[in-house]
Amino acid sequence: MTFTVDDAPWWTGAVVYQIYPRSFQDSDGDGVGDLRGVLQRVDHLVDLGVDAVWFSPVYRSPQDDNGYDISDYQDVDPLFGTLADLDEVVAALHARGIKVVMDLVVNHTSDEHPWFVESRSSTDNPKRDWYWWRPARPGMAPATPGAEPTNWASFFSGPAWEYDEATGEYYLHLFSRKQPDLNWENPQVREAVYAMMRWWLDRGVDGFRMDVINLISKNVAPDGSLVDGPVTTGALGDGSAQYMHGPRLHEYLQEMHREVFDGRRDGLLLVGETPGATVDDGVLFTDPQRRELDMVFTFEHVGLDHGPGGKYDPAPLDLRDLKAVLGRWQAGLAERGWNALYWDNHDQPRIVSRFGDDGEYRRESATMLATVLHLHRGTPYVYQGEELGMTNAHLRSFDDYRDIEALRYVEEARALGHVSDDRILTGLAAMSRDNARTPVQWDASPNAGFTTGEPWLPVNPNHRHVNAEAERADPSSVYHHYRRLIALRHDDPTVRLGDFTMLLPDHPHVYAFTRELDGDALLVLGNFSGDEQQVDVDATWDGADVVIGNVDDPAVPHGGRVRLAPWEGVVLRRVAAAATGG
Ligand code: TEU
């Protein structure tokens, strides 16, 4: 076992809350959330009981990708406020015992960052090699289709290379053309990043969520050449084998650890976003002996409902696949490493609409999903609004969307003409990131208490009944269920550190597992369907104590059998043998 009750780091018993500042709380009526808005809602975070807040980017940015395109790492964008406002937010949260985790976006910068402005100014500029510049593919006229140095597709559709007329070369951008990739092969780049990170730690922040951190090492040959990936769409290919988990990735993370965190390690939280990471990668990243990261966000479970046409071709979830994936991560990191647990974030559609039922059973399915996730072994993350059971926005027209990933996908899909507009809209409504980015619903007033102005993205019309005020007033609400789950993780060592064992892996509708620590045992059951489900469990669970449930009369096993109500989630504690005269 990696950690014991005596030596387990603070974050093994913590719950982290993610704030997407654009959509959290607006304080100046411009329709965009900001830092002074966060100050208005500190009590909400304290009442919820969270231990840390991860802020999506608030740095200076042209907002091409809503802040994940940074033009100044050491300043706050006026849209969100000032550095002084951020200092005040950090001080206010610290005063209430809540840590602050900043978003670290260093795989790429904005193309308006001075580093890139210099780099693109001329081929012999000292910062030219701070980014990935390459000539057109040999034998191809620059700026013609297929002349890109490699056939890699961008995450945001289209080629991952942009031709720069002025200097006659292409630069690499795995995301938008306004997000050029930094060249981490260059030690000056790494030192500049480490200095910026030390600056933020000196300013009092408690850690970093590291954006696509497993993409920073590219598979470049000694002569500087990069190779194509297998062809996918038209002339484009999947270059991920050339830039995911590259040859020097772990070397860089260990160097970062030495240069930035050594000597100030305690009390920090380091979480990596690692699309494409396997369980084995997870162990390499999070094994404490390796001094890299504390935990990583896997993407394996949030790709299970992607159809053959990709993310925007949604397919029904097979619960057995979900259990297989999460079970593998639980088992794989049981001895070494630690899991980050999440359903929602600013890149994923709302889980209650995705894996639950956001209509008749919104409360039941939202609380069941929360119970199942929070009782896994790892650190749970709660995305703003998830604690209120907020749902997808069910947007209807192309004009409703703001997210660059969605807009670029629509452009490409329509150009290719393989999918009808209706199919595209259906895919977007189910999977677009904008579903997660509608303003937080604080009350039933016109703009849900988010802004006195025009919200940058429309408020979900269901805010009239789905909102924090209504949730706080209803003891059986999603909000109060999250408060209870968070308190349970704080108070219960078995929830925090108990061994995980998956049960009923082949059951199509019931998610079941146990957690055990020093003879204390918990059984967790979640019904992922709108029908009653009856399952067999070990007879030692007969008459078990209900620790937490989401229906009036929680299910308790009798005769080795238990009946779960639609979308029921329940946690049971086995009564010690002595008590049962066993
Ligand atoms: O996301 C990286 C990432 O993998 C996502 O783009 C993902 O592929 C997609 O959204 C899932 O559908 C990070 C940030 O979380 C995201 O908001 C940024 O757009 C991206 O990096 C670039 O910084």
Side-chain angles (χ1 to χ4, degrees):
M1 175 127 65
T2 307
F3 303 122
T4 68
V5 174
D6 306 325
D7 67 6
W10 67 272
W11 34 263
T12 58
V15 175
V16 182
Y17 188 90
Q18 180 193 359
I19 289 181
Y20 190 72
R22 273 185 95 83
S23 306
F24 190 65
Q25 178 67 63
D26 176 22
S27 70
D28 59 7
D30 67 353
V32 177
D34 50 48
L35 291 166
R36 303 212 70 77
V38 174
L39 289 173
Q40 294 174 17
R41 298 295 180 182
V42 171
D43 288 348
H44 176 76
L45 303 170
V46 172
D47 295 348
L48 198 52
V50 297
D51 305 279
V53 169
W54 149 34
F55 283 98
S56 278
V58 293
Y59 315 101
R60 265 186 194 281
S61 162
Q63 303 294 324
D64 186 57
D65 183 19
N66 289 0
Y68 281 90
D69 50 312
I70 298 168
S71 54
D72 185 342
Y73 288 107
Q74 293 170 224
D75 195 6
V76 169
D77 195 282
L79 203 56
F80 301 122
T82 65
L83 263 178
D85 291 333
L86 184 59
D87 291 342
E88 200 176 328
V89 166
V90 173
L93 291 171
H94 282 173
R96 311 296 289 278
I98 298 177
K99 291 178 182 284
V100 173
V101 174
M102 298 295 281
D103 215 307
L104 180 77
V105 187
V106 290
N107 172 70
H108 45 267
T109 68
S110 164
D111 64 345
E112 299 182 27
H113 192 294
W115 296 345
F116 187 73
V117 173
E118 272 193 60
S119 182
R120 76 179 311 163
S121 64
S122 72
T123 55
D124 55 13
N125 179 282
K127 284 197 169 49
R128 186 68 170 182
D129 189 40
W130 281 44
Y131 294 84
W132 294 88
W133 290 95
R134 291 291 185 278
R137 184 183 291 269
M140 300 285 289
T144 59
E148 293 83 10
T150 71
N151 67 352
W152 302 351
S154 155
F155 279 79
F156 292 161
S157 305
W161 294 91
E162 179 74 5
Y163 183 63
D164 177 61
E165 196 84 32
T167 58
E169 289 188 328
Y170 290 81
Y171 66 85
L172 176 67
H173 60 87
L174 291 179
F175 294 89
S176 90
R177 63 171 64 85
K178 286 185 68 60
Q179 291 169 296
D181 280 52
L182 280 167
N183 174 15
W184 276 68
E185 302 290 317
N186 183 330
Q188 294 171 356
V189 168
R190 301 198 304 269
E191 185 37 47
V193 169
Y194 302 155
M196 175 266 287
M197 295 172 74
R198 289 190 294 264
W199 183 85
W200 277 108
L201 293 178
D202 292 344
R203 223 178 164 83
V205 305
D206 308 289
F208 296 100
R209 174 266 186 191
M210 304 185 188
D211 192 62
V212 285
I213 201 67
N214 62 327
L215 307 186
I216 60 178
S217 169
K218 278 60 172 182
N219 190 19
V220 58
D223 66 357
S225 61
L226 299 162
V227 297
D228 283 346
V231 171
T232 49
T233 327
L236 295 177
D238 172 8
S240 58
Q242 304 307 317
Y243 57 69
M244 268 185 188
H245 308 102
R248 299 184 66 188
L249 176 58
H250 294 289
E251 170 201 339
Y252 294 155
L253 290 174
Q254 291 172 13
E255 179 188 66
M256 176 196 280
H257 208 289
R258 287 192 304 276
E259 298 298 323
V260 178
F261 303 122
D262 276 7
R264 53 163 117 209
R265 190 67 185 79
D266 293 346
L268 299 183
L269 171 61
L270 308 178
V271 54
E273 184 205 28
T274 54
T278 64
V279 171
D280 295 344
D281 296 318
V283 173
L284 293 176
F285 286 128
T286 67
D287 175 357
Q289 310 302 322
R290 293 174 55 87
R291 302 176 72 71
E292 297 185 16
L293 304 171
D294 298 323
M295 58 192 83
V296 295
F297 293 124
T298 170
F299 278 59
E300 291 191 0
H301 64 305
V302 292
L304 294 173
D305 55 352
H306 293 185
K311 167 180 177 174
Y312 293 108
D313 174 24
L317 169 76
D318 182 326
L319 184 66
R320 289 164 291 203
D321 295 341
L322 182 66
K323 292 187 276 190
V325 165
L326 295 181
R328 219 162 2 89
W329 279 82
Q330 288 287 303
L333 277 65
E335 293 309 318
R336 288 183 302 141
W338 189 256
N339 277 290
L341 309 170
Y342 75 97
W343 289 137
D344 281 357
N345 62 34
H346 62 293
D347 289 337
Q348 302 298 330
R350 294 278 182 184
I351 199 67
V352 68
S353 301
R354 189 178 191 181
F355 293 169
D357 171 345
D358 64 6
E360 180 189 357
Y361 288 108
R362 180 188 71 85
R363 187 193 69 77
E364 290 82 358
S365 58
T367 49
M368 181 281 290
L369 286 158
T371 304
V372 166
L373 187 80
H374 283 240
L375 266 290
H376 278 69
R377 187 170 180 276
T379 299
Y381 287 72
V382 178
Y383 176 63
Q384 64 185 40
E386 187 182 346
E387 80 279 14
L388 306 176
M390 282 177 58
T391 73
N392 275 355
H394 301 295
L395 303 171
R396 302 229 175 291
S397 88
F398 290 118
D399 302 342
D400 293 335
Y401 292 93
R402 302 284 179 280
D403 171 32
I404 184 169
E405 183 190 71
L407 298 176
R408 298 271 304 148
Y409 162 73
V410 170
E411 215 179 294
E412 183 179 72
R414 289 180 124 186
L416 288 169
H418 300 156
V419 189
S420 70
D421 277 3
D422 283 355
R423 280 281 305 284
I424 295 174
L425 280 169
T426 305
L428 286 175
M431 302 303 280
S432 167
R433 307 191 300 178
D434 280 331
N435 282 308
R437 299 172 181 190
T438 57
V440 170
Q441 298 162 213
W442 297 106
D443 58 40
S445 66
N447 282 319
F450 166 71
T451 181
T452 55
E454 184 61 32
W456 74 276
L457 193 61
V459 169
N460 188 322
N462 70 7
H463 74 279
R464 294 183 188 81
H465 65 278
V466 178
N467 62 67
E469 203 169 68
E471 292 278 315
R472 296 172 79 92
D474 170 3
S476 70
S477 69
V478 180
Y479 170 75
H480 287 294
H481 192 83
Y482 270 86
R483 293 183 70 228
R484 288 190 286 272
L485 285 171
I486 295 170
L488 190 59
R489 177 166 289 274
H490 291 161
D491 307 337
D492 193 314
T494 304
V495 172
R496 180 176 179 177
L497 294 170
D499 292 345
F500 177 98
T501 305
M502 185 69 82
L503 303 176
L504 307 173
D506 301 323
H507 197 289
H509 301 300
V510 174
Y511 200 123
F513 59 93
T514 62
R515 303 287 308 279
E516 287 188 63
L517 185 71
D518 304 335
D520 177 47
L522 298 170
L523 170 64
V524 181
L525 299 166
N527 179 359
F528 276 66
S529 78
D531 308 312
E532 252 192 25
Q533 297 292 340
Q534 181 157 284
V535 293
D536 298 337
V537 293
D538 192 281
T540 57
W541 291 104
D542 284 7
D545 291 338
V546 174
V547 174
I548 189 170
N550 69 341
V551 296
D552 296 340
D553 178 20
V556 175
H558 290 294
R561 178 155 287 195
V562 62
R563 182 188 303 277
L564 296 168
W567 300 104
E568 179 172 0
V570 64
V571 179
L572 301 151
R573 168 163 272 120
R574 180 151 53 205
V575 178
T580 60

